[in-house]
Amino acid sequence: MKPIIKLLPAVLLLFVVALSGCEKEWKTLKMEIWPDSEQTVIEQTADGILFKFCLINEQGEPATVFKEGENFAFGFSVQNQLQNTIMIPTNFVNNNFYRVYRKDNNDMGKPWTGIWCNFSLASQELTVSHNEVRSLNCPWQLTESNRPEYPLCMDESKSVLAKGEYYTFIETPFDYVVNNNKQTIKLNFKINFKIE
């Protein structure tokens, strides 16, 4: 019995080493843009999926500088450049998705108030076919003509942001399934913007 007890720590160590070797490394997409840069859209591709993240002004154009009182929208899209359809669970829409902070890290909130707000027995995942683009745009202020794209929803409007410097980010694992295989890409996108 004693030889078995002596071998137990070695067997456990071997088991832990074997498990750590099985961990899959995630691909990470990371990018940050600033109001004084020429770039207004974060655009990155991994594993045949094109991601875009930007802020959109009232003219429908990507921007990082807005006038005080001007409404703007958050734009995030996924384009499936693979030959096969992908299924995307919406767990990437976490509590910080589209959250706005002042430069001093003061939390200004997020525009959307829920996801999948309409009761439905339908699957709560996004299906994206070959070359299809799926967007999750959402305005900062809710108006008759400016509403979030489903499955995001809003039941109240945010206050106008005062003059100053702000940032928003998407930092989340992005899971998708293609050919019954689950894949993960870690997104780390940050947009610094200004209200003047």
Side-chain angles (χ1 to χ4, degrees), residues 142-176:
L142 182 64
T143 66
E144 278 299 315
S145 60
N146 209 348
R147 299 189 166 283
E149 289 189 53
Y150 189 77
L152 294 177
C153 48
M154 301 171 73
D155 58 16
E156 59 187 39
S157 191
K158 302 304 283 182
S159 300
V160 173
L161 292 176
K163 290 182 181 181
E165 295 182 21
Y166 299 87
Y167 66 90
T168 186
F169 62 92
I170 294 175
E171 186 174 358
T172 184
F174 180 89
D175 299 324
Y176 67 98

Short mmCIF file of all heavy atoms in Angstrom, two decimals, residues 142-176:
data_model
loop_
_atom_site.label_atom_id
_atom_site.label_comp_id
_atom_site.label_asym_id
_atom_site.label_seq_id
_atom_site.Cartn_x
_atom_site.Cartn_y
_atom_site.Cartn_z
N LEU A 142 -32.12 56.80 -27.71
CA LEU A 142 -33.24 56.15 -28.38
C LEU A 142 -34.15 57.21 -28.98
O LEU A 142 -34.57 58.14 -28.30
CB LEU A 142 -34.02 55.30 -27.37
CG LEU A 142 -35.19 54.49 -27.88
CD1 LEU A 142 -34.74 53.44 -28.88
CD2 LEU A 142 -35.90 53.83 -26.70
N THR A 143 -34.44 57.10 -30.28
CA THR A 143 -35.37 58.00 -30.96
C THR A 143 -36.30 57.15 -31.82
O THR A 143 -36.07 55.95 -32.00
CB THR A 143 -34.64 59.03 -31.85
OG1 THR A 143 -34.00 58.33 -32.92
CG2 THR A 143 -33.61 59.83 -31.07
N GLU A 144 -37.32 57.78 -32.39
CA GLU A 144 -38.25 57.05 -33.27
C GLU A 144 -37.51 56.45 -34.45
O GLU A 144 -37.82 55.36 -34.90
CB GLU A 144 -39.36 57.98 -33.77
CG GLU A 144 -40.50 58.15 -32.80
CD GLU A 144 -41.22 56.85 -32.49
OE1 GLU A 144 -41.52 56.07 -33.41
OE2 GLU A 144 -41.48 56.60 -31.29
N SER A 145 -36.54 57.17 -34.99
CA SER A 145 -35.85 56.71 -36.19
C SER A 145 -34.51 56.03 -35.90
O SER A 145 -33.86 55.54 -36.81
CB SER A 145 -35.61 57.89 -37.14
OG SER A 145 -34.81 58.86 -36.49
N ASN A 146 -34.09 56.00 -34.65
CA ASN A 146 -32.80 55.43 -34.31
C ASN A 146 -32.96 54.44 -33.17
O ASN A 146 -32.98 54.81 -32.00
CB ASN A 146 -31.82 56.56 -33.93
CG ASN A 146 -30.40 56.20 -34.26
OD1 ASN A 146 -30.08 55.06 -34.56
ND2 ASN A 146 -29.53 57.19 -34.18
N ARG A 147 -33.09 53.17 -33.54
CA ARG A 147 -33.33 52.09 -32.59
C ARG A 147 -32.23 51.03 -32.71
O ARG A 147 -31.61 50.92 -33.76
CB ARG A 147 -34.69 51.46 -32.84
CG ARG A 147 -35.83 52.45 -32.67
CD ARG A 147 -37.17 51.72 -32.70
NE ARG A 147 -38.23 52.56 -32.23
CZ ARG A 147 -38.49 52.85 -30.97
NH1 ARG A 147 -37.74 52.37 -30.02
NH2 ARG A 147 -39.49 53.63 -30.62
N PRO A 148 -32.02 50.24 -31.68
CA PRO A 148 -30.98 49.20 -31.76
C PRO A 148 -31.40 48.06 -32.69
O PRO A 148 -32.59 47.82 -32.89
CB PRO A 148 -30.86 48.72 -30.32
CG PRO A 148 -32.18 49.00 -29.70
CD PRO A 148 -32.68 50.24 -30.37
N GLU A 149 -30.40 47.38 -33.22
CA GLU A 149 -30.67 46.21 -34.06
C GLU A 149 -30.90 44.99 -33.16
O GLU A 149 -30.18 44.79 -32.18
CB GLU A 149 -29.51 45.96 -35.01
CG GLU A 149 -29.42 47.00 -36.11
CD GLU A 149 -28.41 46.64 -37.17
OE1 GLU A 149 -28.49 45.53 -37.72
OE2 GLU A 149 -27.55 47.49 -37.45
N TYR A 150 -31.89 44.23 -33.51
CA TYR A 150 -32.23 43.00 -32.77
C TYR A 150 -31.04 42.05 -32.83
O TYR A 150 -30.41 41.93 -33.88
CB TYR A 150 -33.47 42.37 -33.41
CG TYR A 150 -34.03 41.22 -32.63
CD1 TYR A 150 -34.79 41.46 -31.49
CD2 TYR A 150 -33.81 39.91 -33.02
CE1 TYR A 150 -35.32 40.41 -30.76
CE2 TYR A 150 -34.32 38.86 -32.30
CZ TYR A 150 -35.08 39.11 -31.17
OH TYR A 150 -35.59 38.07 -30.44
N PRO A 151 -30.66 41.41 -31.76
CA PRO A 151 -31.40 41.17 -30.53
C PRO A 151 -31.17 42.18 -29.41
O PRO A 151 -31.69 42.01 -28.31
CB PRO A 151 -30.90 39.80 -30.10
CG PRO A 151 -29.48 39.76 -30.54
CD PRO A 151 -29.45 40.53 -31.82
N LEU A 152 -30.40 43.27 -29.64
CA LEU A 152 -30.25 44.31 -28.62
C LEU A 152 -31.55 45.08 -28.50
O LEU A 152 -32.28 45.25 -29.48
CB LEU A 152 -29.12 45.28 -28.97
CG LEU A 152 -27.70 44.72 -29.00
CD1 LEU A 152 -26.72 45.79 -29.44
CD2 LEU A 152 -27.31 44.17 -27.65
N CYS A 153 -31.87 45.55 -27.31
CA CYS A 153 -33.07 46.36 -27.13
C CYS A 153 -32.82 47.43 -26.07
O CYS A 153 -31.91 47.33 -25.26
CB CYS A 153 -34.26 45.50 -26.77
SG CYS A 153 -33.97 44.31 -25.46
N MET A 154 -33.62 48.50 -26.17
CA MET A 154 -33.52 49.63 -25.24
C MET A 154 -34.94 49.98 -24.79
O MET A 154 -35.85 50.00 -25.61
CB MET A 154 -32.95 50.87 -25.94
CG MET A 154 -31.59 50.73 -26.54
SD MET A 154 -31.12 52.15 -27.56
CE MET A 154 -30.80 53.41 -26.34
N ASP A 155 -35.09 50.28 -23.52
CA ASP A 155 -36.40 50.76 -23.07
C ASP A 155 -36.31 52.15 -22.46
O ASP A 155 -37.26 52.68 -21.93
CB ASP A 155 -37.05 49.78 -22.10
CG ASP A 155 -36.20 49.49 -20.87
OD1 ASP A 155 -35.26 50.26 -20.60
OD2 ASP A 155 -36.49 48.50 -20.19
N GLU A 156 -35.12 52.74 -22.54
CA GLU A 156 -34.93 54.11 -22.06
C GLU A 156 -33.79 54.74 -22.84
O GLU A 156 -33.01 54.04 -23.48
CB GLU A 156 -34.63 54.13 -20.57
CG GLU A 156 -33.39 53.34 -20.20
CD GLU A 156 -33.18 53.21 -18.70
OE1 GLU A 156 -34.18 53.03 -17.98
OE2 GLU A 156 -32.03 53.30 -18.28
N SER A 157 -33.70 56.06 -22.79
CA SER A 157 -32.65 56.76 -23.53
C SER A 157 -31.62 57.30 -22.56
O SER A 157 -31.94 57.68 -21.43
CB SER A 157 -33.28 57.91 -24.33
OG SER A 157 -32.34 58.43 -25.22
N LYS A 158 -30.38 57.33 -22.98
CA LYS A 158 -29.31 57.88 -22.17
C LYS A 158 -29.29 59.41 -22.31
O LYS A 158 -29.73 59.96 -23.31
CB LYS A 158 -27.95 57.33 -22.61
CG LYS A 158 -27.84 55.82 -22.56
CD LYS A 158 -28.12 55.22 -21.23
CE LYS A 158 -26.99 55.38 -20.26
NZ LYS A 158 -27.24 54.76 -18.96
N SER A 159 -28.73 60.08 -21.32
CA SER A 159 -28.56 61.53 -21.38
C SER A 159 -27.47 61.88 -22.38
O SER A 159 -26.56 61.08 -22.64
CB SER A 159 -28.16 62.09 -20.02
OG SER A 159 -29.16 61.81 -19.07
N VAL A 160 -27.55 63.09 -22.92
CA VAL A 160 -26.52 63.58 -23.83
C VAL A 160 -25.19 63.62 -23.09
O VAL A 160 -25.14 64.01 -21.92
CB VAL A 160 -26.90 64.99 -24.34
CG1 VAL A 160 -25.78 65.61 -25.15
CG2 VAL A 160 -28.18 64.93 -25.16
N LEU A 161 -24.12 63.24 -23.76
CA LEU A 161 -22.80 63.31 -23.14
C LEU A 161 -22.28 64.75 -23.23
O LEU A 161 -22.38 65.40 -24.27
CB LEU A 161 -21.82 62.38 -23.85
CG LEU A 161 -22.08 60.88 -23.69
CD1 LEU A 161 -21.10 60.08 -24.54
CD2 LEU A 161 -21.99 60.45 -22.23
N ALA A 162 -21.73 65.24 -22.14
CA ALA A 162 -21.15 66.59 -22.10
C ALA A 162 -19.83 66.61 -22.85
O ALA A 162 -19.26 65.57 -23.17
CB ALA A 162 -20.93 67.00 -20.65
N LYS A 163 -19.35 67.82 -23.13
CA LYS A 163 -18.05 67.95 -23.78
C LYS A 163 -17.00 67.22 -22.96
O LYS A 163 -17.01 67.26 -21.73
CB LYS A 163 -17.65 69.42 -23.91
CG LYS A 163 -18.48 70.20 -24.90
CD LYS A 163 -17.99 71.63 -24.99
CE LYS A 163 -18.83 72.42 -25.97
NZ LYS A 163 -18.38 73.80 -26.10
N GLY A 164 -16.09 66.56 -23.65
CA GLY A 164 -15.03 65.85 -22.95
C GLY A 164 -14.49 64.69 -23.76
O GLY A 164 -14.87 64.48 -24.91
N GLU A 165 -13.59 63.94 -23.13
CA GLU A 165 -12.97 62.78 -23.77
C GLU A 165 -13.51 61.51 -23.12
O GLU A 165 -13.62 61.42 -21.89
CB GLU A 165 -11.46 62.87 -23.64
CG GLU A 165 -10.89 64.05 -24.40
CD GLU A 165 -9.38 64.12 -24.33
OE1 GLU A 165 -8.73 63.09 -24.05
OE2 GLU A 165 -8.84 65.22 -24.54
N TYR A 166 -13.81 60.51 -23.97
CA TYR A 166 -14.45 59.28 -23.54
C TYR A 166 -13.79 58.09 -24.22
O TYR A 166 -13.01 58.25 -25.15
CB TYR A 166 -15.94 59.29 -23.91
CG TYR A 166 -16.73 60.41 -23.28
CD1 TYR A 166 -16.80 61.66 -23.88
CD2 TYR A 166 -17.39 60.22 -22.08
CE1 TYR A 166 -17.53 62.70 -23.31
CE2 TYR A 166 -18.12 61.24 -21.50
CZ TYR A 166 -18.18 62.48 -22.11
OH TYR A 166 -18.89 63.50 -21.53
N TYR A 167 -14.17 56.89 -23.76
CA TYR A 167 -13.77 55.68 -24.47
C TYR A 167 -14.82 54.61 -24.29
O TYR A 167 -15.63 54.64 -23.36
CB TYR A 167 -12.38 55.18 -24.04
CG TYR A 167 -12.28 54.69 -22.61
CD1 TYR A 167 -12.51 53.36 -22.29
CD2 TYR A 167 -11.91 55.56 -21.58
CE1 TYR A 167 -12.39 52.90 -20.97
CE2 TYR A 167 -11.78 55.12 -20.28
CZ TYR A 167 -12.02 53.78 -19.98
OH TYR A 167 -11.91 53.34 -18.68
N THR A 168 -14.85 53.68 -25.21
CA THR A 168 -15.69 52.50 -25.14
C THR A 168 -14.86 51.33 -25.65
O THR A 168 -13.86 51.53 -26.35
CB THR A 168 -16.99 52.67 -25.97
OG1 THR A 168 -17.84 51.53 -25.75
CG2 THR A 168 -16.70 52.82 -27.45
N PHE A 169 -15.25 50.13 -25.28
CA PHE A 169 -14.44 48.99 -25.69
C PHE A 169 -15.27 47.72 -25.79
O PHE A 169 -16.37 47.63 -25.24
CB PHE A 169 -13.27 48.77 -24.72
CG PHE A 169 -13.70 48.46 -23.32
CD1 PHE A 169 -13.88 47.15 -22.89
CD2 PHE A 169 -13.93 49.48 -22.41
CE1 PHE A 169 -14.28 46.88 -21.60
CE2 PHE A 169 -14.32 49.22 -21.11
CZ PHE A 169 -14.50 47.90 -20.70
N ILE A 170 -14.73 46.77 -26.52
CA ILE A 170 -15.26 45.41 -26.56
C ILE A 170 -14.10 44.52 -26.16
O ILE A 170 -13.10 44.44 -26.86
CB ILE A 170 -15.78 45.03 -27.96
CG1 ILE A 170 -16.98 45.88 -28.33
CG2 ILE A 170 -16.12 43.54 -28.02
CD1 ILE A 170 -17.49 45.66 -29.74
N GLU A 171 -14.22 43.91 -25.00
CA GLU A 171 -13.18 43.00 -24.51
C GLU A 171 -13.88 41.74 -24.04
O GLU A 171 -14.48 41.70 -22.97
CB GLU A 171 -12.38 43.64 -23.37
CG GLU A 171 -11.22 42.80 -22.93
CD GLU A 171 -10.35 43.50 -21.90
OE1 GLU A 171 -10.61 44.66 -21.56
OE2 GLU A 171 -9.39 42.86 -21.45
N THR A 172 -13.84 40.70 -24.88
CA THR A 172 -14.61 39.50 -24.59
C THR A 172 -14.15 38.33 -25.44
O THR A 172 -13.65 38.53 -26.55
CB THR A 172 -16.11 39.77 -24.88
OG1 THR A 172 -16.89 38.65 -24.51
CG2 THR A 172 -16.35 40.07 -26.35
N PRO A 173 -14.31 37.11 -24.94
CA PRO A 173 -14.12 35.96 -25.82
C PRO A 173 -15.30 35.89 -26.80
O PRO A 173 -16.45 36.08 -26.40
CB PRO A 173 -14.15 34.76 -24.88
CG PRO A 173 -14.06 35.30 -23.50
CD PRO A 173 -14.51 36.71 -23.55
N PHE A 174 -15.02 35.67 -28.05
CA PHE A 174 -16.05 35.57 -29.09
C PHE A 174 -16.07 34.10 -29.54
O PHE A 174 -15.15 33.63 -30.19
CB PHE A 174 -15.70 36.49 -30.26
CG PHE A 174 -16.69 36.45 -31.39
CD1 PHE A 174 -17.78 37.31 -31.39
CD2 PHE A 174 -16.53 35.55 -32.44
CE1 PHE A 174 -18.69 37.28 -32.43
CE2 PHE A 174 -17.43 35.52 -33.48
CZ PHE A 174 -18.52 36.38 -33.48
N ASP A 175 -17.12 33.39 -29.15
CA ASP A 175 -17.26 31.98 -29.50
C ASP A 175 -18.09 31.84 -30.76
O ASP A 175 -19.03 32.61 -30.99
CB ASP A 175 -17.97 31.22 -28.37
CG ASP A 175 -17.21 31.26 -27.06
OD1 ASP A 175 -15.96 31.23 -27.09
OD2 ASP A 175 -17.86 31.32 -26.00
N TYR A 176 -17.76 30.86 -31.57
CA TYR A 176 -18.59 30.52 -32.71
C TYR A 176 -18.43 29.03 -33.01
O TYR A 176 -17.46 28.40 -32.60
CB TYR A 176 -18.25 31.37 -33.94
CG TYR A 176 -16.89 31.12 -34.53
CD1 TYR A 176 -16.73 30.29 -35.64
CD2 TYR A 176 -15.76 31.72 -33.99
CE1 TYR A 176 -15.48 30.07 -36.19
CE2 TYR A 176 -14.51 31.50 -34.54
CZ TYR A 176 -14.38 30.67 -35.63
OH TYR A 176 -13.14 30.45 -36.17
#
